Amino acid sequence: MPTITAGGIATGLDVNSIISQLMALERKPLEALEQKESAVRAQISAFGTLKSALATFSTAMAALQDVSKFQPYAASTSNEARVTATLGEGASPGRFAINTTALASNHKLSSGAYASDAAVGTGTLNFTVGGESFSVVIDATNNTLEGIRDAINTASGNSKVTAAVINSTTGARLLLSATDSGAANAINVAITGDGDGSDTNASGLSALSYTAGALRLTQRSAAQDAALTIDGIAVSSPSNNVSTAIDGVSFNLLATGTATITISRDDSAIAKAAQDFAQAYNDLRDTIAKLRTGDLSSDSSLRTIESRLAGVLQTGASVGGTFSYLTEIGVSRDRYGKMQVDAGRLSDALGTDPAEVIALFTHATEGLPARLKAAADALTQSDGLIAGREEGLNSRVRSLESQQLRYERRLELVEQRLRAQFTALDTLVSQLQSTGNFLTQQLALQINNDDQ
């Protein structure tokens, strides 16, 4: 609204300066309210930081439930060019002599050479591959090699064969490839309704047949299983990744020949996972400590959160067996509350019962990461502790904003009143001055008259 000004012409006072100083005093309570609001908003922001830290902690705990992060063994090979191994759940120490005599391969067939855009023929291609069957109709709209390629690749029910056109030095050739390796995935192509009247001869669409009695396509790669022996025991596999021969071990066949795979104890993966656990806990603790000395210094929520997390750590994990607490395997908090890992004690625990050490981390319901994640999630959920504190603080902000608005309106009225009073004072002084001047003039005239 327009500001009412009073210049103090009659009184000679600096009215604007006086009013500004008076209003500055009047604004002190409003400034206090603004400071309170700023402090509350800082608390809300701090709870946002805390919530983010808890979410990060929850994600870290979820990742630590992955059994693959706690592999207690490592595999090595005597010949990386021939065979390597990867380990999974259930792997155990051992030494295995591998002799690979054949690698698994995908079935590949090619057609004869055709001139560019030449019509191959019409009819129906009937595929059978790895227990899957599908048909492709070829007519005048798609009877070139490119048209046949596209029709095969987009055929309904086809997940086993891919087609390509190879432009060779003698012409274009259709190449059919089985998606999966192994003898069970051999490609069989039968022709029906060939436009030239014969479904098995070497002309028309039947030139693309590959079935008993009509092997018109040329085999470029056989549908073959991998063949190997493990310590002299014969094993076959449709893939060069042999994952069913030994529990928890996948052999990756790369070339024929012999090699030795050795599986031995390796604490490094578990030690790293334990360090990751300690780091995630310490990161959350550091955030809480920083907030405690900052915007949430007087908030009891931090103690509640720490108490809940500590309660999880102090409650035994019912995973069965030797260990129930992280302290028993060398993962504990020091006198400052920092989580630390004693590599020696962890190694000793792994030597005693590696499965139970892993279970402390990976058990779906009783593992420490699972329970800590549940505690963190409960704190950050919509009806959790933090949401309740945030709602209380937001309500406080709304109340402070309402108080400030009312006070600002009051200040407007106060300033209007002060300006009106100074204006009235200035008017009164002006009137008095006029009256005084008039009386002075009248007195002077009377004196003049008396002198005459």
Side-chain angles (χ1 to χ4, degrees):
M1 76 174 39
T3 301
I4 300 173
T5 61
I9 296 173
T11 61
L13 298 174
D14 187 350
V15 173
N16 286 330
S17 177
I18 294 171
I19 291 178
S20 293
Q21 294 178 55
L22 291 172
M23 291 307 299
L25 294 173
E26 292 286 344
R27 286 189 62 85
K28 292 295 183 181
L30 178 61
E31 291 172 354
L33 290 173
E34 291 172 342
Q35 291 173 358
K36 288 181 181 179
E37 181 189 349
S38 178
V40 174
R41 288 191 180 278
Q43 286 182 292
I44 294 173
S45 177
F47 272 109
T49 298
L50 177 60
K51 188 159 55 176
S52 176
L54 284 166
T56 299
F57 179 71
S58 175
T59 300
M61 292 301 101
L64 285 167
Q65 296 175 57
D66 183 357
V67 176
S68 66
K69 292 182 179 292
F70 293 86
Q71 179 52 253
Y73 305 106
S76 60
T77 178
S78 63
N79 192 323
E80 292 187 349
R82 292 178 178 174
V83 61
T84 60
T86 54
L87 305 181
E89 187 175 1
S92 57
R95 185 181 176 87
F96 307 99
I98 310 297
N99 182 18
T100 304
T101 56
L103 294 176
S105 58
N106 299 63
H107 202 198
K108 291 180 180 289
L109 305 171
S110 70
S111 70
Y114 289 84
S116 178
D117 296 329
V120 176
T122 58
T124 302
L125 300 167
N126 302 288
F127 288 86
T128 302
V129 187
E132 178 180 285
S133 297
F134 65 95
S135 297
V136 180
V137 176
I138 305 300
D139 55 29
T141 65
N142 62 355
N143 65 350
T144 63
L145 288 187
E146 288 78 6
I148 294 172
R149 173 200 62 197
D150 295 342
I152 293 171
N153 289 336
T154 59
S156 176
N158 175 22
S159 65
K160 299 288 188 179
V161 179
T162 59
V165 174
I166 307 298
N167 295 306
S168 68
T169 56
T170 57
R173 297 173 186 269
L174 183 70
L175 179 68
L176 302 178
S177 303
T179 303
D180 301 318
S181 60
N185 291 298
I187 301 172
N188 183 285
V189 188
I191 309 301
T192 56
D194 190 340
D196 68 1
S198 173
D199 295 337
T200 59
N201 63 10
S203 62
L205 195 64
S206 55
L208 303 184
S209 66
Y210 194 84
T211 188
L215 302 176
R216 303 304 178 186
L217 296 174
T218 300
Q219 179 171 273
R220 299 296 178 178
S221 174
Q224 179 175 280
D225 288 342
L228 66 153
T229 61
I230 302 176
D231 289 336
I233 301 172
V235 174
S236 65
S237 170
S239 167
N240 290 317
N241 182 265
V242 184
S243 59
T244 57
I246 298 176
D247 287 345
V249 183
S250 293
F251 298 101
N252 309 302
L253 307 181
L254 303 172
T256 57
T258 61
T260 300
I261 296 293
T262 301
I263 301 173
S264 56
R265 178 179 160 186
D266 179 13
D267 295 346
S268 61
I270 295 178
K272 182 181 184 306
Q275 290 289 355
D276 290 345
F277 173 84
Q279 187 63 52
Y281 180 87
N282 288 338
D283 287 345
L284 175 60
R285 180 189 172 281
D286 289 345
T287 298
I288 292 175
K290 184 176 180 180
L291 293 173
R292 176 175 283 115
T293 59
D295 295 316
L296 298 183
S297 58
S298 60
D299 198 295
S300 64
S301 301
L302 298 180
R303 287 193 299 273
T304 301
I305 292 171
E306 287 180 319
S307 176
R308 291 188 185 180
L309 297 178
V312 173
L313 294 173
Q314 294 165 3
T315 303
S318 302
V319 297
T322 308
F323 306 113
S324 298
Y325 298 91
L326 289 177
T327 53
E328 296 172 332
I329 64 171
V331 182
S332 61
R333 291 174 293 171
D334 62 19
R335 61 177 179 162
Y336 303 106
K338 284 276 191 177
M339 189 73 72
Q340 57 185 359
V341 179
D342 185 325
R345 289 188 63 190
L346 179 60
S347 180
D348 291 343
L350 287 169
T352 300
D353 195 339
E356 291 305 319
V357 173
I358 294 171
L360 281 178
F361 288 98
T362 62
H363 193 283
T365 56
E366 285 295 315
L368 271 301
R371 289 158 54 200
L372 286 168
K373 180 182 186 303
D377 291 345
L379 290 166
T380 57
Q381 63 190 15
S382 59
D383 59 349
L385 171 67
I386 293 178
R389 289 294 296 122
E390 287 178 324
E391 177 53 34
L393 291 171
N394 282 319
S395 177
R396 179 66 174 151
V397 166
R398 291 191 292 270
S399 174
L400 288 169
E401 287 177 336
S402 178
Q403 292 178 56
Q404 290 174 64
L405 183 60
R406 290 196 300 271
Y407 207 87
E408 285 172 350
R409 290 172 180 168
R410 177 182 175 279
L411 289 177
E412 290 178 0
L413 295 176
V414 169
E415 183 174 358
Q416 290 177 17
R417 176 173 55 79
L418 288 173
R419 291 191 179 280
Q421 289 174 338
F422 274 100
T423 299
L425 174 62
D426 199 58
T427 300
L428 177 60
V429 170
S430 178
Q431 291 173 348
L432 290 174
Q433 287 175 342
S434 296
T435 301
N437 291 335
F438 173 77
L439 292 174
T440 299
Q441 291 173 359
Q442 293 299 317
L443 181 59
L445 289 173
Q446 184 62 43
I447 290 172
N448 289 333
N449 290 333
D450 292 343
D451 289 342
Q452 292 176 359

